[in-house]
Amino acid sequence: YALAVDPHARGQQLGARLMENMIEILESRGATRIFLEVRPDNHSALRLYHKIGFVECQTLANYYGQDSPALRMVRVRASSPAASP
């Protein structure tokens, strides 16, 4: 449901390793598209997600509360046919 890295452990590539492991597990179970939500102002998470192949596909108003939107992102498995998110 949620992935977070303790502020004291940041800068050690833990988030990237956790995401890559999660993607590997999901794809081994047949997932062809993976979705996530992230705060638009979480620039470090956005950089990571873009780097590993996620793209924005939707803005979700009030997702985190009043006037706090989220960006929904999707990663389509490279070997799957291009499908719209």
Side-chain angles (χ1 to χ4, degrees):
Y1 170 75
L3 174 68
V5 174
D6 186 279
H8 296 100
R10 290 189 181 146
Q12 299 176 37
Q13 304 300 310
L14 295 175
R17 293 191 337 234
L18 287 167
M19 288 295 297
E20 289 166 2
N21 186 260
M22 180 188 67
I23 290 167
E24 183 179 312
I25 291 168
L26 290 169
E27 289 182 347
S28 75
R29 295 180 179 187
T32 58
R33 294 187 298 166
I34 302 168
F35 293 89
L36 61 80
E37 290 80 30
V38 63
R39 290 182 183 273
D41 61 352
N42 190 341
H43 302 291
S44 59
L46 285 166
R47 275 192 303 275
L48 169 62
Y49 300 148
H50 284 130
K51 184 177 177 181
I52 58 178
F54 284 86
V55 295
E56 290 102 3
C57 62
Q58 187 177 8
T59 299
L60 305 171
N62 303 312
Y63 185 84
Y64 293 108
Q66 186 65 31
D67 299 322
S68 293
L71 291 176
R72 177 162 287 156
M73 302 182 78
V74 63
R75 181 181 189 275
V76 178
R77 187 175 185 164
S79 61
S80 68
S84 62

